[in-house]
Amino acid sequence: MLKYKTFVKKTRSGGILKVVREHYLRDDIWCGSEVCVECKDETPVLEKDPCMESNLCTFPHYLIPDTNVVLHQIDVLEDRLIRNVIILQTVLQEVRHRSAPVYKRIKDAIHTKEKNFYTFTNEHHRETFIEREPGESANDRNDRAIRVAVQWYSKHIPDSANIKVVLLTNDRLNKEKAEQAGLIAYKCEEYIKSLIANPELIDQLALTSDDKNEITSSKILFPEHLPLSQIQAGIKSGKYIQGTFRANRDNYLEGNVFVQGEGDESTEILLQGLQQLNRAVHQDVVAVELLPRKDWVAPSAVVLQDDGPKAEDDEQEEEEEKKLQMKQVAQQALKPTGRVVGIIKRNWRPYCGMLSVSLIKQATRHLFTPADRRIPKIRIETRRADSLAGQRIMVAIDGWPKNSRYPNGHFMKSLGSAGDRETETEVLLLEHDVPHLPFSQNVLSFLPKMPWTITDDVMKNRVDLRHLCVCSVDPPGCTDIDDALHCRDLENGNLEVGVHIADVSHFIRPGNALDQEAANRGTTVYLCGMRIDMVPELLSSNLCSLRSDVERLAFSCIWEMNHNAEILNTRFTKSVINSKASLTYAEAQMRIDDTSMNDDITKSLRGLNKLAKILKAGRIEKGALTLSSPEVRFHMDSETHDPIDLQTKQLMETNSMVEEFMLLANISVAQKIYDEFSECALLRKHPSPPSSNYDILHKAAKAKNLVIHTESAKELADSLNDAEIDGFPYFNTLLRILTTRCMMQAVYFCSGLDSDFRHYGLATPIYTHFTSPIRRYSDIIVHRLLAVAIGADSTYPTLMDKHKQAALCNNLNYRHKMAQYAQRSSVAFHTQLFFKNRGILNEEGFILFVRKNAIIILIPKFGLEGTVFFENKNKPSPKMVFNEEIPTLTVEGHTFNMFDCVRVTISLDASNIQHQKIRMALLEPVIPGVSVPPPDSEPEAKKMKLDR
């Protein structure tokens, strides 16, 4: 049966377009039940004996939730107890339009066989399709469509089966109309509370608007949020500004709203205090009203201490707010300040953290403290607080009423015991949104069948380079080897240098499930003792990995150079190689240094190393920056996997050698793909920092009677090279570490939507990523572009679509940023494990930053940063004077400057199990009443097996 659906829509030019669509109605859409004799469904999903024990529904039954139940109670629907659920097409379509994450979760539940979730296409069934009536809203029409489908099921299922159909809805009017029609309908909450098998499922119920009123006070604590229509009018008139709220990591009472301007331009509006924040949560899109200039304030220099979870800490928050308000600051330090007047879009996610159990006996309402300090505490209702104490749990926010100090939420699930390595790793992956579930069977189905061989067909568009003396140089234990190199003499007296990169794009074809998964993951994430691959292990550690003594497919960038490292010719080709050695940096360095070794591999390495030094000198001459960042490496116990040694990474000449040729390959490929595809080349840029970013660097240098020029990258590089202090060899490293903190984030972008390509740090006009396709999806796209450019592969539509490329770049930038944060969290956690059984250590460090109430110390031996606080709640605060201009902090007459050498004690503070941290206390200089006495002799570290 054919129907026609007619609607009108507005075009971009402002015209009205009438759209008529054909809508087919069918009789052969099955109900999906095993008990049905009418439908000819060979694979029914709904069981003939659906048993969910309920005090309300004492009979066998199927459930049909409406749209709002699916949207708001997805945590409950995902529980293993909830089975035999009919998801209507009407509901699925609405959910898809309103929430992509919930849509994915309900689709996953439908595809989970043991859940017995069935999708009924009611909008195309002759007996359940309904037309929208004149004057009827779309929402009312959909509610009626759901009731019609429930009624159809009630009549369709044979009476002999004794199976009823239950509608779950929290809409009072919808429920009343269903009951008037003789249907069984319950509110989701009353149905879940009636379940006998799992009474704890009540904890996972999201709060409805009625529930929210029950647990809030009558006192209005926050200003009312403006309605969206008023916000939009205000933004249009310029009264309000739209931006993304980002809370401060060090101070939860402060944050900034980032307002995106033209191109890369953006401005920040400071928010300070609970009233100005007005219930905004980190990453929410908000509307802000700018305050008059007389009310502008400066960012706080106060670092708030986290003293552990408390059941209620209103007084403490008020005390912290007073600290913010009391400060006197210079006029030039004031920042544009505003207040939140409304929320445009909530960007809440599930949060990991721990329960702060209420002090009231048998209470069901408790505060949840998120692991992310930028997120406020959340009030939840649970009946199993005792069993959840000490556990890491996940909680979702349901709403934040104006008369509640905290947002309301509900318990989702427990992740395990706090402090447990597996639990903490799961937490940091979830908190940083790292996709880490095992690859699905659908994804794995696109892997090549084993045993895999290189066929004649594969060789057609490839150059055979198996005869070349190619080798790889990587960190120890590396199995995902992306790159290999060679260098050989040519008959004309010049040198041939090749960079050979794993040809991952041969195995991952555009648009299939494997490609989509890799694009979503964006990058391989390296944690301490763990790697979360972007592509399945068969590719990452086997077929794509350029291991020695096996034939592998590669994408080669080959230069002809003279002995001054000047490029005379460049060619790109798909190839087949056979690596002659897989070396570590140390092994390659040993070969170069050992004069008795003169084999082909060693000669190749020496040639590469010689050229790399010339290339690096040339880059530095052009203004490339050599920055510094303290990186650490853990040695793990081979049995317990606990860290037993912690060292800063030592870089060798071979590290620089490999880096130079990877940079050269990336620059060469960037120029090639841009020349061929000026509108859709995927490139990488590093914006030059705004001059204000260098303020702290100028102040630090000035305090040591030095001047750092930052007008250009070249001047900055030269200034850093000249910045030396006699008798203080580590000073230059500290200065470079500080300079790194001033830099902007490098980002991927599409060439057709940007005009500034320059990479500031590398001092190159164009750059991309080509050399790591096993671990970066950006490189796979670049490989595809290069392959099309040289005629080695065919193109496809989205590759040439600059808007699709830009959307992909946004996801890659996000994934890379989250991977970096996850890696830092993993290092922090393993650093805590390292110090756990070491008592109190005594180490030398340097002051990196001076704050109003603390100094931040870097310990070079461990590459570790920590904070020395000068305020202690258990004793009177010392006299402190903070000078923001220099900056200095004077404590009881002693002045601390940036880069001063101090001696501190280091220990693990485990008093707050959720936020265990490295605690530092001042030993030297000795300040009476402030510094601590030296610790007893350090405990001898246990001798354990090293897993190097």
Side-chain angles (χ1 to χ4, degrees):
M1 181 178 170
L2 186 60
K3 286 255 183 188
Y4 292 96
K5 295 176 84 173
T6 306
F7 57 94
V8 291
K9 68 175 185 178
K10 198 173 183 180
T11 63
R12 283 186 180 179
S13 59
I16 301 295
L17 182 68
K18 183 179 180 181
V19 180
V20 180
R21 284 189 183 154
E22 293 179 339
H23 190 81
Y24 289 91
L25 300 181
R26 302 170 56 164
D27 295 317
D28 59 348
I29 295 172
W30 316 133
C31 69
S33 174
E34 288 180 346
V35 300
C36 183
V37 291
E38 286 183 43
C39 296
K40 298 167 185 172
D41 192 350
E42 294 179 3
T43 55
V45 173
L46 302 166
E47 295 174 303
K48 61 184 175 186
D49 185 23
C51 50
M52 278 192 286
E53 291 184 75
S54 162
N55 294 326
L56 276 178
C57 306
T58 54
F59 39 80
H61 57 278
Y62 298 146
L63 296 174
I64 297 184
D66 73 359
T67 305
N68 282 322
V69 168
V70 174
L71 281 169
H72 301 300
Q73 306 296 351
I74 185 66
D75 295 326
V76 169
L77 294 175
E78 285 177 325
D79 191 89
R80 57 184 175 78
L81 182 71
I82 306 299
R83 295 167 55 195
N84 294 291
V85 176
I86 300 161
I87 303 294
L88 301 177
Q89 182 189 3
T90 307
V91 171
L92 207 53
Q93 286 174 342
E94 274 199 282
V95 169
R96 185 181 185 182
H97 290 136
R98 290 170 61 181
S99 173
V102 173
Y103 178 72
K104 184 182 183 305
R105 289 170 70 182
I106 196 66
K107 288 289 281 184
D108 287 344
I110 291 165
H111 292 140
T112 305
K113 195 175 178 181
E114 55 271 21
K115 290 282 291 174
N116 305 100
F117 274 41
Y118 180 69
T119 308
F120 179 60
T121 320
N122 64 306
E123 295 290 353
H124 286 276
H125 195 290
R126 190 195 296 266
E127 295 180 38
T128 57
F129 171 76
I130 60 165
E131 299 271 13
R132 185 171 165 186
E133 295 176 349
E136 187 176 38
S137 71
N139 187 57
D140 288 344
R141 181 263 168 206
N142 288 343
D143 282 348
R144 186 162 60 88
I146 292 168
R147 294 195 300 272
V148 167
V150 174
Q151 196 151 32
W152 180 84
Y153 260 101
S154 300
K155 291 176 180 176
H156 180 78
I157 292 172
D159 292 339
S160 57
N162 195 31
I163 294 175
K164 308 290 185 189
V165 178
V166 176
L167 171 65
L168 293 183
T169 178
N170 288 328
D171 185 314
R172 182 180 53 79
L173 198 60
N174 193 23
K175 182 172 180 285
E176 284 175 6
K177 288 183 177 180
E179 288 170 341
Q180 286 166 12
L183 304 177
I184 304 171
Y186 292 113
K187 285 177 65 178
C188 185
E189 183 184 356
E190 60 182 336
Y191 175 79
I192 296 303
K193 285 182 176 178
S194 77
L195 295 176
I196 298 165
N198 187 3
E200 293 173 346
L201 194 56
I202 302 166
D203 291 352
Q204 290 173 244
L205 279 169
L207 292 175
T208 62
S209 54
D210 295 339
D211 301 326
K212 290 170 192 171
N213 294 332
E214 286 178 24
I215 61 172
T216 54
S217 68
S218 55
K219 182 183 174 186
I220 303 297
L221 301 175
F222 295 100
E224 184 85 66
H225 285 152
L226 298 179
L228 203 53
S229 57
Q230 202 172 327
I231 290 171
Q232 288 167 340
I235 290 170
K236 198 171 181 180
S237 68
K239 184 179 181 182
Y240 306 131
I241 303 163
Q242 177 176 325
T244 303
F245 171 65
R246 295 179 190 165
N248 188 327
R249 283 180 185 273
D250 291 330
N251 187 336
Y252 57 86
L253 294 171
E254 184 174 279
N256 290 287
V257 172
F258 282 73
V259 183
Q260 191 63 47
E262 292 295 319
D264 290 329
E265 293 297 312
S266 64
T267 54
E268 292 179 27
I269 297 171
L270 183 67
L271 307 180
Q272 213 171 71
L274 288 171
Q275 291 295 306
Q276 287 183 7
L277 297 180
N278 194 9
R279 295 169 284 158
V281 177
H282 180 64
Q283 293 293 8
D284 282 349
V285 180
V286 298
V288 175
E289 183 179 38
L290 203 60
L291 297 178
R293 188 176 284 271
K294 65 181 177 64
D295 295 328
W296 287 11
V297 296
S300 171
V302 173
V303 181
L304 297 188
Q305 297 189 58
D306 181 8
D307 294 318
K310 299 174 183 64
E312 297 283 345
D313 55 359
D314 296 359
E315 287 181 18
Q316 186 196 352
E317 285 191 353
E318 284 164 13
E319 195 65 35
E320 302 295 1
E321 250 187 305
K322 283 176 191 171
K323 280 186 192 177
L324 299 183
Q325 293 159 1
M326 284 164 59
K327 62 183 187 296
Q328 298 290 318
V329 293
Q331 196 68 25
Q332 60 266 32
L334 301 179
K335 301 285 182 188
T337 308
R339 66 183 186 94
V340 171
V341 295
I343 307 293
I344 295 167
K345 186 188 176 198
R346 289 290 194 187
N347 278 320
W348 296 336
R349 59 176 176 82
Y351 300 103
C352 302
M354 294 183 71
L355 203 64
S356 306
V357 180
S358 173
L359 300 176
I360 303 167
K361 283 188 177 180
Q362 296 181 328
T364 58
R365 289 168 191 157
H366 309 270
L367 281 180
F368 163 83
T369 306
D372 188 340
R373 289 183 173 89
R374 296 169 299 185
I375 307 300
K377 292 182 179 181
I378 303 164
R379 185 179 276 114
I380 69 167
E381 194 163 335
T382 179
R383 287 143 192 82
R384 42 179 163 156
D386 291 342
S387 64
L388 294 177
Q391 297 274 306
R392 289 281 200 175
I393 63 172
M394 283 182 77
V395 161
I397 298 178
D398 299 324
W400 195 342
K402 62 186 176 184
N403 49 356
S404 172
R405 183 174 284 277
Y406 305 105
N408 297 323
H410 68 273
F411 167 78
M412 290 175 68
K413 65 177 180 179
S414 174
L415 299 170
S417 298
D420 177 75
R421 185 186 292 100
E422 286 73 24
T423 302
E424 295 303 327
T425 301
E426 177 76 3
V427 167
L428 75 87
L429 291 172
L430 289 167
E431 280 295 291
H432 296 102
D433 195 16
V434 175
H436 60 285
L437 294 176
F439 292 100
S440 70
Q441 283 306 311
N442 189 26
V443 168
L444 298 175
S445 69
F446 287 94
L447 292 173
K449 302 294 179 279
M450 297 299 286
W452 175 83
T453 55
I454 299 173
T455 62
D456 292 340
D457 194 45
V458 171
M459 286 298 296
K460 273 182 188 172
N461 292 318
R462 292 182 185 273
V463 175
D464 190 342
L465 301 179
R466 286 175 282 199
H467 61 285
L468 292 179
C469 188
V470 172
C471 68
S472 62
V473 184
D474 291 283
C478 179
T479 60
D480 53 343
I481 302 172
D482 284 290
D483 55 89
L485 305 120
H486 88 272
C487 176
R488 64 171 180 165
D489 295 323
L490 296 175
E491 290 180 1
N492 62 7
N494 292 327
L495 298 167
E496 180 186 87
V497 176
V499 166
H500 311 277
I501 305 300
D503 189 5
V504 181
S505 62
H506 171 82
F507 297 97
I508 301 181
R509 303 309 296 165
N512 66 25
L514 178 55
D515 182 47
Q516 289 171 9
E517 182 67 21
N520 177 46
R521 293 188 178 216
T523 180
T524 293
V525 181
Y526 295 91
L527 306 179
C528 300
M530 182 183 183
R531 187 181 82 204
I532 295 135
D533 285 326
M534 181 184 79
V535 298
E537 191 176 14
L538 179 65
L539 297 183
S540 65
S541 297
N542 188 351
L543 299 184
C544 291
S545 184
L546 304 182
R547 302 183 302 182
S548 56
D549 303 319
V550 288
E551 295 178 355
R552 288 290 178 258
L553 304 182
F555 211 147
S556 300
C557 176
I558 299 171
W559 304 277
E560 183 180 342
M561 292 182 176
N562 61 25
H563 288 267
N564 293 323
E566 294 167 340
I567 298 171
L568 307 174
N569 181 36
T570 305
R571 67 188 172 103
F572 306 100
T573 180
K574 293 252 184 172
S575 61
V576 179
I577 65 167
N578 188 324
S579 175
K580 303 301 183 280
S582 298
L583 305 172
T584 64
Y585 290 117
E587 289 167 347
Q589 191 67 54
M590 185 192 70
R591 280 175 175 267
I592 291 169
D593 296 341
D594 189 345
T595 53
S596 66
M597 296 187 77
N598 286 295
D599 57 279
D600 289 344
I601 293 170
T602 305
K603 286 178 183 175
S604 177
L605 288 169
R606 285 183 185 138
L608 290 165
N609 197 40
K610 182 183 174 186
L611 291 170
K613 289 178 180 178
I614 300 170
L615 288 169
K616 185 171 184 177
R619 280 197 313 107
I620 290 171
E621 182 60 31
K622 289 177 185 174
L625 296 173
T626 306
L627 301 178
S628 186
S629 178
E631 289 188 67
V632 297
R633 180 161 182 254
F634 293 95
H635 295 299
M636 303 289 193
D637 184 279
S638 57
E639 291 174 4
T640 65
H641 301 290
D642 282 337
I644 53 174
D645 196 12
L646 174 61
Q647 298 171 343
T648 50
K649 289 183 181 177
Q650 301 299 313
L651 298 181
M652 306 179 186
E653 272 187 7
T654 45
N655 289 82
S656 179
M657 176 190 80
V658 173
E659 181 186 14
E660 287 306 317
F661 285 106
M662 296 306 112
L663 293 175
L664 188 61
N666 287 335
I667 293 166
S668 299
V669 170
Q671 193 61 59
K672 177 68 176 176
I673 62 173
Y674 177 64
D675 290 345
E676 293 288 335
F677 309 111
S678 61
E679 286 294 299
C680 59
L682 192 153
L683 302 175
R684 187 166 176 83
K685 68 173 180 178
H686 181 212
S688 56
S691 57
S692 58
N693 278 30
Y694 289 122
D695 288 351
I696 189 69
L697 184 66
H698 290 306
K699 288 176 180 178
K702 188 179 177 183
K704 299 295 181 186
N705 298 316
L706 293 170
V707 177
I708 300 292
H709 297 285
T710 56
E711 288 74 23
S712 69
K714 170 69 174 158
E715 288 180 89
L716 175 59
D718 291 344
S719 295
L720 290 173
N721 290 337
D722 296 339
E724 300 286 348
I725 294 179
D726 291 338
F728 191 175
Y730 197 67
F731 171 74
N732 191 262
T733 304
L734 286 168
L735 209 57
R736 290 181 193 274
I737 290 170
L738 189 60
T739 306
T740 305
R741 309 288 170 92
C742 300
M743 292 295 120
M744 303 290 283
Q745 187 84 29
V747 291
Y748 297 109
F749 68 101
C750 177
S751 60
L753 296 171
D754 213 320
S755 56
D756 178 19
F757 294 5
R758 188 164 180 77
H759 196 294
Y760 179 80
L762 297 175
T764 179
I766 194 165
Y767 191 67
T768 193
H769 273 162
F770 164 76
T771 54
S772 296
I774 294 177
R775 61 185 179 87
R776 290 190 304 234
Y777 188 76
S778 54
D779 303 52
I780 293 178
I781 296 295
V782 170
H783 276 227
R784 289 173 180 168
L785 288 164
L786 184 61
V788 175
I790 65 171
D793 206 344
S794 55
T795 187
Y796 57 98
T798 54
L799 189 67
M800 299 298 152
D801 187 327
K802 61 184 178 183
H803 297 290
K804 293 272 176 67
Q805 288 282 46
L808 174 66
C809 288
N810 288 339
N811 180 59
L812 296 179
N813 291 329
Y814 171 72
R815 292 296 186 202
H816 276 259
K817 184 170 68 175
M818 289 298 105
Q820 284 181 328
Y821 291 159
Q823 191 170 352
R824 288 175 198 165
S825 294
S826 180
V827 168
F829 174 64
H830 281 78
T831 303
Q832 291 164 11
L833 288 180
F834 173 75
F835 284 103
K836 191 173 183 178
N837 299 314
R838 280 169 172 73
I840 302 175
L841 302 186
N842 171 346
E843 293 293 341
E844 182 180 80
F846 297 94
I847 299 175
L848 259 189
F849 299 102
V850 176
R851 296 286 186 251
K852 191 174 182 179
N853 60 336
I855 52 176
I856 295 166
I857 311 293
L858 173 70
I859 309 295
K861 180 178 175 180
F862 299 127
L864 175 70
E865 274 182 49
T867 306
V868 173
F869 288 98
F870 292 113
E871 290 177 319
N872 191 321
K873 287 188 175 179
N874 301 324
K875 59 182 184 181
S877 294
K879 184 182 177 184
M880 292 185 287
V881 179
F882 178 60
N883 185 331
E884 199 166 5
E885 285 305 298
I886 301 178
T888 60
L889 178 64
T890 303
V891 182
E892 294 292 344
H894 181 90
T895 301
F896 292 98
N897 294 278
M898 290 175 69
F899 303 156
D900 281 0
C901 182
V902 295
R903 185 163 283 277
V904 295
T905 61
I906 309 171
S907 59
L908 178 67
D909 179 2
S911 59
N912 177 358
I913 192 166
Q914 167 150 252
H915 290 142
Q916 293 187 46
K917 57 193 169 197
I918 303 301
R919 179 77 73 183
M920 292 187 184
L922 187 69
L923 268 176
E924 297 172 8
V926 176
I927 304 173
V930 174
S931 50
V932 297
D936 297 333
S937 59
E938 296 171 16
E940 206 174 310
K942 292 186 284 184
K943 293 181 180 178
M944 304 180 187
K945 281 190 286 180
L946 285 181
D947 181 11
R948 294 181 188 271

